[in-house]
Each structure stands twice: as structure tokens, then as C-alpha cells.
Amino acid sequence: MENIKICKSCLMPSSRPRVIFNEDGICNACLYITKKNEIDWSSREKEFQELCDRYRSRDGQYDCIVPWSGGKDSSSIAHKLKFVYKMNPLLVTFSPLLPSDIGRYNRELLIDKGFDNIFFRPNQNVSRYLSKRFFLERGNPKVHWDAGINALPLKVATEKNIKLIFYAEHGESEYGGKIIKENSDKI
């Protein structure tokens, strides 16, 4: 226990994977929040509106893609895009090996509100094999799923010539984690 550090701001323990502390004992998640608090959000919303205006479909076609799990983040993004910003998003889902009842329920609620969804469920024999293999080799059974949830929206966007994709939060920035590229936490 004496090797465990605790963030002086939020009490995040150093046992959380990939958390990093600065010289003052503040975790990278708290530092990220500090950066977010310095943003002029009304200016950013205007910039966002301009982005939506540039890509908004004038003929009812999909104008953006939301990689969609059925969870709170991607569902909130999709809902705001459609009902606040008047976009026409196509929701793209790469199914996990074990889909949850709540995810299925949430997806049905949004589909009933007028969203279209491409739901891809890969070969379950291959998924089970890859889950076991990556668990044994890397300790992470979701490596192939992570690849699928990142690749499928790009594949659909390319096939349908949709030039705008809205991802949910960057978890490594939001909750403290390893930033691979300096601008990957750009907000």
C-alpha cells in the first residue's frame, strides 16, 4: 500500500491503469478537466454549428456517422445531433461478443425515435477464438473488438461517402491514461 499514490485533487489512486501524476501529485484526468474549464464553450459551439452547417445534408441523406454502442455517451451524441443540431446521423454498431440486454434496450429506444442503425455482429466462432487468443497473449480479450469498433465506422463512412464521424469522449484523456500523440487530447 505504501507504493500507492493518491491524486491530491480527486483521490484517483495510482492503481488505475495508465494514470500519471504531475510533480504536484495531480493526476492527468484532473489536469485535463482544468484544460476543459479554460475553454470558451459558446465560441466552440459556434464553431461546431459551422461544422454541422458545412456537412448537413440538404436532401435527407446521412450527413454524419456516430459509432454507437447503445451507451450513454454515444446515445447522447446521436440524440443531440439529430434533435438539437438537425443533423441526420447514421448509427454504426460493432457488436460485442456478449451483447447486453440494456445495450439492446437502449438501441431500440433510439431506433424508435427515428434513427437508422447498421448493426454488425461478427462470426461468433471467430470472435470467441480471438477473445481467448488475445486474453492468453495480451491479457485483454477485447483487442479484436476494439479494432472492430474503430474500423467499422470508417468502412461505412467510406462506402457511403459520409465525410463526418462523431466519436464519444476520449477515455484516456477524460479519465487519465496514456496519451499516444500530443494532440490526441485536443479539445
Side-chain angles (χ1 to χ4, degrees):
M1 285 298 286
E2 55 194 57
N3 292 333
I4 299 284
K5 292 180 186 175
I6 302 292
C7 176
K8 291 182 179 175
S9 178
C10 75
L11 305 179
M12 171 100 63
S14 60
S15 59
R16 184 193 189 283
R18 300 176 307 282
V19 69
I20 300 167
F21 296 88
N22 72 4
E23 60 279 352
D24 297 323
I26 307 297
C27 76
N28 48 346
C30 286
L31 295 172
Y32 187 72
I33 288 171
T34 301
K35 284 171 62 174
K36 284 174 58 175
N37 289 336
E38 296 170 358
I39 293 171
D40 176 356
W41 288 106
S42 59
S43 169
R44 288 296 294 268
E45 183 168 26
K46 183 178 181 219
E47 184 182 330
F48 183 74
Q49 285 275 18
E50 291 169 1
L51 178 73
C52 289
D53 290 344
R54 190 172 4 177
Y55 289 97
R56 186 173 290 107
S57 170
R58 307 289 182 234
D59 62 1
Q61 297 295 312
Y62 304 117
D63 42 34
C64 60
I65 286 180
V66 175
W68 185 47
S69 65
K72 63 180 175 35
D73 298 324
S74 56
S75 295
S76 175
I77 289 167
H79 193 273
K80 286 176 185 171
L81 283 168
K82 187 172 189 76
F83 297 111
V84 175
Y85 296 102
K86 307 303 181 203
M87 300 292 283
N88 187 22
L90 173 61
L91 310 181
V92 178
T93 306
F94 187 91
S95 176
L97 184 59
L98 301 171
S100 71
D101 290 338
I102 192 69
R104 191 175 4 264
Y105 175 79
N106 289 345
R107 283 190 297 274
E108 286 302 316
L109 285 177
L110 234 52
I111 290 168
D112 286 346
K113 290 197 174 287
F115 289 87
D116 289 333
N117 175 225
I118 293 177
F119 185 90
F120 179 79
R121 189 150 189 231
N123 179 317
Q124 296 300 278
N125 293 326
V126 173
S127 286
R128 280 189 291 276
Y129 169 80
L130 290 173
S131 289
K132 180 178 179 182
R133 177 179 170 183
F134 285 124
F135 177 72
L136 294 172
E137 290 177 8
R138 299 185 188 181
N140 180 357
K142 298 185 322 139
V143 170
H144 72 291
W145 182 71
D146 289 337
I149 63 173
N150 287 303
L152 184 63
L154 296 171
K155 180 180 189 295
V156 172
T158 301
E159 288 173 352
K160 296 192 173 294
N161 196 28
I162 300 171
K163 303 207 181 314
L164 192 57
I165 301 175
F166 288 97
Y167 289 92
E169 78 221 358
H170 184 256
E172 292 295 296
S173 300
E174 289 285 336
Y175 306 113
K178 184 177 180 184
I179 304 301
I180 296 170
K181 293 189 82 171
E182 188 61 33
N183 67 352
S184 65
D185 68 343
K186 183 142 174 65
I187 48 179

